[in-house]
Every structure is written in structure tokens, then in C-alpha cells.
Amino acid sequence: MNNYLIIGLGNIGGEYANTRHNIGFDIADAFVKSHDAGWQIDRLAEVSHLKVKGRLVTVIKPSTYMNLSGRAFKYWLDKEKVALENTLTIVDDLALPLEKIRIRPTGSDAGHNGLRSIQDIIGTDAYPKLRFGIGNNFPKGRQADFVLSRWMPSELPIVEQKIDKCVELVNTFIFEGIANAMNRYNNLLFK
């Protein structure tokens, strides 16, 4: 039986809820809800254990804050005995416009502190990532404020549409593999 680990990156605490930087948590929540499951507090993360069509899927939202996400990633990777290629880390991406999502089997941290933490702890960037475009519409020097800001009302219809598609994408990744997920979702443009 194949085991999978889905990691939604974000920061714990109400002040970070519904911010751009927490989109990984939002997608993890939507995925777990789509399978009529819930969350429990466990070591280094909120965790949901799902059995979906014969596959064991562990979904985590690290409670370590973004910059230490690698600790939770590594703990649950080892605990659940998941192959690295059967992980999917969901993260916000400034380099992608709001209208895009992108899944890849490998890739650099691109300056993202959560991905850098994972890469530093596991010693490689060769693990699948789902990048949710948040755009880069911020004044010079205001990147941190932008990623920690809430969505503008005009952005919410696209964000909600993309979250739904990301839930589909996660299911595709689990049941059909990363190549099919890339072919089906990387060229979508959301409006």
C-alpha cells in the first residue's frame, strides 16, 4: 500500500489566518474537508490521517511556524515511512501571478523560508511542490507585509477557484501521479 504525506505550509495563530502566506494551510483544510475528515493536534503539527481508496494519506499543518517547517516535515516523513516522491508540499509563491498554480517534482526554495527549512533538514530540493501564485503586487521593500496580508476582496473569487482546483490536483497527484497532475494543472489560467 502506498503512503502519502501532504504538507500545507503556513503559520499558526489567528493573526495569520487567511493570509497569502497561509494558503498551504487553507488548501490542506479544504482537502481534508473534501474527504469528510478532521484534525488532531500531534507532534509538531495538526494532523489528519485519511484512508482514500486504499491509500494512506497523512496531511499535516506544521505548528513550528514557517521558518522551522522542515522539522515537522522530517518527523512525519519518517514516522509514516513515506517515500520522498510521495510527498507534496503546498506553498505560496511570489514569482507566480495570482492566476497560476504550478506543481513540480523538484525545485529550489526560491527564497521561501518554509521550503528552505525543509531543504536544509532533508538535504535535497528533490521533493514535489505545489506552488500557489500570490503575485508580487507590493512596493519595494514591503514583501513581508504583502505575504502576511489578507486577500483583497477582488482576489477572493480567484483564490477560492484555485483552492478547489488544488484539492483536485492533490487527488490527481495521489491517484494518477505527478506527471498527470503537471499535464492537467500547470497550464491553467484562473480568472
Side-chain angles (χ1 to χ4, degrees):
M1 186 174 332
N2 286 330
N3 293 0
Y4 290 83
L5 177 63
I6 309 301
I7 306 97
L9 295 189
N11 283 312
I12 58 171
E15 67 270 31
Y16 299 108
N18 303 311
T19 62
R20 298 167 197 279
H21 215 30
N22 269 34
I23 195 64
F25 279 11
D26 296 338
I27 294 167
D29 285 334
F31 178 75
V32 167
K33 184 178 179 182
S34 76
H35 289 286
D36 297 319
W39 296 95
Q40 62 187 31
I41 303 294
D42 207 323
R43 185 159 179 203
L44 302 174
E46 284 187 62
V47 181
S48 185
H49 296 283
L50 311 172
K51 188 167 184 180
V52 185
K53 297 181 184 176
R55 289 171 172 83
L56 296 178
V57 181
T58 300
V59 185
I60 67 168
K61 297 187 299 183
S63 58
T64 56
Y65 287 100
M66 188 70 78
N67 296 355
L68 299 173
S69 297
R71 292 177 54 214
F73 182 107
K74 178 75 167 119
Y75 174 80
W76 288 98
L77 180 76
D78 293 346
K79 183 177 190 312
E80 298 299 324
K81 299 175 179 58
V82 177
L84 200 52
E85 64 270 14
N86 285 355
T87 68
L88 184 60
T89 301
I90 306 167
V91 63
D92 59 296
D93 193 318
L94 281 166
L96 285 176
L98 180 62
E99 297 80 13
K100 299 285 288 176
I101 56 176
R102 182 162 298 134
I103 182 172
R104 294 272 193 261
T106 186
S108 77
D109 61 54
H112 193 285
N113 291 333
L115 295 179
R116 183 176 300 124
S117 173
I118 292 169
Q119 182 176 318
D120 288 349
I121 287 183
I122 66 172
T124 183
D125 67 3
Y127 61 95
K129 298 162 197 75
L130 168 55
R131 298 176 187 265
F132 188 104
I134 64 169
N136 59 4
N137 187 18
F138 57 90
K140 185 173 179 152
R142 304 302 302 237
Q143 176 177 328
D145 293 335
F146 179 75
V147 299
L148 294 175
S149 69
R150 290 184 169 34
W151 301 103
M152 293 185 295
S154 62
E155 295 172 319
L156 286 174
I158 291 175
V159 170
E160 290 166 4
Q161 181 187 15
K162 284 174 58 180
I163 289 171
D164 290 344
K165 277 297 177 196
C166 287
V167 169
E168 288 179 24
L169 184 154
V170 173
N171 283 308
T172 300
F173 171 78
I174 293 167
F175 296 110
E176 299 178 37
I178 195 165
N180 285 331
M182 289 169 62
N183 289 336
R184 195 169 302 159
Y185 297 97
N186 279 351
N187 293 318
L188 293 179
L189 191 63
F190 296 88
K191 295 183 178 185

